[in-house]
Amino acid sequence: MSLLVVGLSHRSAPVSVLERASLSVDAKAKLLQDALASEPAAEATVLATCNRIELYADVEKFHAGVAELSTLLAQHSGVGLEELTPYLYVHYEDRAVHHLFSVACGLDSMVVGEGQILGQIKDALALGQELHTAGRLINDLFQQALRVGKRAHSETGIDRAGQSLVTFGLEQLASGAPVAEWASGKRALVIGAGSMSSLAAATLVRVGVAEVVVANRTAERAERLAEILNQSGGAARAVPMDEVAQELTRVDVAVSCTGATGLVLTVEDVAAALGLSAGAASDGAADAAEAGHVPQARTETDPNSLELHGTWADNGEAAAQAPPRVRVQDDAGKAVRLALLDLAMPRDIDGAAHRLDGVRLVDIESLADASADAPMASDVDQVRGIVGEEVAAFGAAQRAAQITPTVVALRSMAADVVTNEVARLEGRLPGLDAKQRAEITQTVRRVVDKLLHAPTVRVKQLASEPGGAGYADALRELFDLDPQTVAAVSRADGPKGPEDAVQGGTNGTTGAESAKRGRA
């Protein structure tokens, strides 16, 4: 196993760099294709979330792998290699496994213990399977990471150590007040209908908002989400994206998390929804620029943003006719007319909007700052113990698996020897009846099996220990096994299609359980 991960996260890089380095769906696919086309990588997948971008690969050489993967990340993220390099981290072999398992358990999340990362790891595996860039190692690793994450959440109280990014964001909007009290009676707009937006909508219903309005580029997805929310006891409806401007004048809180490459809500859009003058928006942008909070330029603009600008051109009258908003106080004691939660990376909402009078904006950057003071639960230590145990078990299983094709090839060679010798004996003793031939054949097979049993069991045990990879080579040399035969066994035992890979493994057992059962 030569697992390598190169990446950057909220722990290593400022949000402004993460925002610029974010990868679109097409960019992730091209990154993986180029990774496999490069010499060092045999298989790969990418884990890209709102606060991390990590490229996992099975590489032949460490230094060449680091150089190539770092270069590819820079090329496809659009951030120059010289600028990106100081923020990159590298993990190799067991340390890489430890890192992914920690990520899966929520130990490396912005909000410790959050469970959304499991869905994102599943998506990363599915992408590698879909593009056929995930081979045996990536499949085994990510499947096991999912099981380890589930084990951590089921066996410990890590969920008490943190919450979802959505809940954390709403707590920041509430400015210390109970979220349910803050949300009571409010109307909310959710822009987007993906996994994060859906979680945001469900959370808003759970904490007691009066109504949730869902807007999405694909109307069917927005309608489906609204239907689910209504079935769960909430009050929800779907609207087209071109009605976002109108809905923004009516709501008290807006949550946005789309895959747009351009801003979904500019400072001018927010000002218009509140009936503020264009000058107020300009002042907000200028103040933000002086404070160093300047939105990053985009290389593309979301087509829907162009449509929205037309509908937002004359929102003064709509804002005046909108029903009164539920007002709360911000940290400075000022009335908040519109609370904005931006969970997108790159951001959906212009950072300058927080300078507008009556607006409170919480985005990924402010969440990162706030999470530094988040409390840690005692369960974290227990989860770390689980991660350590599972890393050791996974490493042992992978090392043992490396020798399996050699053992299979050895037993296949022994079976051929038995067959040939029995056939030779039949030629010399043609008078043997069927019962005698069967007895002789069975005796020879038992002798061969007994001779091979102890060394093959022992070599698997030795191979599962650190530094045991050389035992497979020794076995091949001692018995003069054909390398092509061993390679054929490896190919035949490799991962099948995506469905088999997702269902594969040890029938839902953890790596530690599998290792214990194997030793037994």
Side-chain angles (χ1 to χ4, degrees):
M1 178 180 66
S2 300
L3 178 67
L4 174 67
V5 55
V6 178
L8 66 161
S9 74
H10 65 100
R11 294 183 181 275
S12 69
V15 172
S16 59
V17 174
L18 281 172
E19 183 179 32
R20 292 168 54 205
S22 63
L23 300 171
S24 65
V25 175
D26 290 341
K28 286 190 283 188
K30 190 65 168 63
L31 171 61
L32 291 182
Q33 291 164 353
D34 288 351
L36 255 65
S38 66
E39 184 178 339
E43 53 179 290
T45 197
V46 60
L47 176 60
T49 73
C50 59
N51 54 29
R52 75 177 64 251
I53 302 168
E54 297 176 343
L55 182 55
Y56 290 79
D58 183 7
V59 298
E60 184 177 349
K61 298 178 181 178
F62 172 75
H63 293 290
V66 171
E68 185 64 28
L69 297 190
S70 301
T71 300
L72 288 173
L73 277 175
Q75 289 176 351
H76 291 279
S77 69
V79 180
L81 182 60
E82 290 187 0
E83 182 181 359
L84 191 64
T85 298
Y87 304 115
L88 293 178
Y89 48 76
V90 174
H91 299 295
Y92 190 55
E93 295 187 333
D94 283 353
R95 289 181 63 86
V97 176
H98 189 281
H99 174 72
L100 181 60
F101 287 4
S102 296
V103 169
C105 293
L107 293 180
D108 198 58
S109 295
M110 186 179 294
V111 181
V112 174
E114 60 91 11
Q116 291 169 249
I117 188 64
L118 288 175
Q120 294 160 336
I121 290 174
K122 184 177 180 181
D123 291 342
L125 174 59
L127 179 63
Q129 292 171 343
E130 178 185 350
L131 299 176
H132 304 290
T133 62
R136 179 197 301 276
L137 178 58
I138 295 296
N139 273 282
D140 287 352
L141 174 68
F142 275 69
Q143 289 169 39
Q144 193 60 34
L146 291 171
R147 287 190 283 265
V148 173
K150 292 175 182 177
R151 180 188 171 193
H153 284 280
S154 64
E155 295 184 11
T156 75
I158 190 66
D159 292 327
R160 296 193 297 268
Q163 59 254 295
S164 74
L165 203 59
V166 173
T167 305
F168 191 51
L170 293 178
E171 286 183 354
Q172 300 307 304
L173 286 180
S175 300
V179 173
E181 178 181 318
W182 170 84
S184 178
K186 282 186 168 60
R187 294 176 295 275
L189 170 65
V190 175
I191 305 174
S195 58
M196 184 71 81
S197 298
S198 298
L199 178 61
T203 303
L204 287 166
V205 168
R206 178 173 55 81
V207 298
V209 296
E211 181 186 41
V212 175
V213 179
V214 182
N216 190 58
R217 283 192 301 177
T218 305
E220 292 78 9
R221 294 189 67 180
E223 291 168 357
R224 175 57 180 158
L225 177 55
E227 179 183 351
I228 293 173
L229 295 174
N230 286 322
Q231 291 174 351
S232 64
R237 57 188 174 89
V239 298
M241 282 293 285
D242 58 10
E243 294 185 14
V244 164
Q246 183 178 0
E247 294 297 335
L248 200 63
T249 67
R250 300 171 175 168
V251 298
D252 308 289
V253 56
V255 180
S256 186
C257 187
T258 73
T261 53
L263 291 172
V264 175
L265 296 177
T266 66
V267 64
E268 291 82 8
D269 302 329
V270 177
L274 294 174
L276 300 176
S277 66
S282 300
D283 292 342
D287 290 343
E290 290 179 8
H293 197 170
V294 182
Q296 298 295 333
R298 299 308 202 293
T299 57
E300 300 177 47
T301 301
D302 181 16
N304 286 289
S305 296
L306 299 177
E307 297 176 12
L308 291 174
H309 280 292
T311 63
W312 289 335
D314 187 17
N315 276 329
E317 182 178 354
Q321 296 176 352
R325 302 171 188 269
V326 177
R327 298 194 177 198
V328 296
Q329 304 295 314
D330 67 6
D331 292 334
K334 298 179 181 179
V336 175
R337 298 173 59 195
L338 181 60
L340 302 173
L341 177 57
D342 185 357
L343 298 173
M345 182 64 74
R347 73 187 69 192
D348 279 347
I349 303 175
D350 194 333
H354 82 290
R355 296 284 178 175
L356 294 174
D357 184 36
V359 174
R360 178 170 176 79
L361 170 64
V362 170
D363 55 18
I364 293 295
E365 189 167 9
S366 58
L367 286 175
D369 292 339
S371 67
D373 299 324
M376 298 284 286
S378 59
D379 300 273
V380 168
D381 288 336
Q382 187 178 351
V383 172
R384 286 173 178 158
I386 289 175
V387 169
E389 177 186 343
E390 291 287 352
V391 169
F394 183 83
Q398 289 295 308
R399 288 187 290 269
Q402 289 177 353
I403 205 169
T404 297
T406 302
V407 172
V408 172
L410 173 60
R411 289 191 172 277
S412 177
M413 182 191 75
D416 290 342
V417 170
V418 170
T419 300
N420 292 335
E421 288 302 316
V422 169
R424 182 168 169 269
L425 181 63
E426 288 178 348
R428 290 189 172 188
L429 301 173
L432 292 175
D433 58 31
K435 183 178 180 180
Q436 291 171 329
R437 284 198 302 271
E439 185 63 34
I440 292 173
T441 300
Q442 185 64 23
T443 298
V444 175
R445 285 176 178 167
R446 281 199 299 268
V447 171
V448 171
D449 286 343
K450 287 182 178 181
L451 287 174
L452 291 181
H453 176 73
T456 53
V457 169
R458 183 57 179 154
V459 78
K460 284 184 178 181
Q461 293 173 341
L462 293 171
S464 67
E465 299 174 0
Y471 287 101
D473 295 333
L475 204 61
R476 286 193 293 270
E477 286 293 328
L478 287 171
F479 288 91
D480 194 23
L481 297 175
D482 183 3
Q484 293 183 353
T485 302
V486 176
V489 173
S490 299
R491 289 193 296 271
D493 193 41
K496 309 299 188 294
E499 296 84 1
D500 293 329
V502 171
Q503 297 297 328
T506 54
N507 297 321
T509 60
T510 65
E513 291 167 346
S514 299
K516 291 176 182 176
R517 190 162 58 192
R519 287 192 295 268

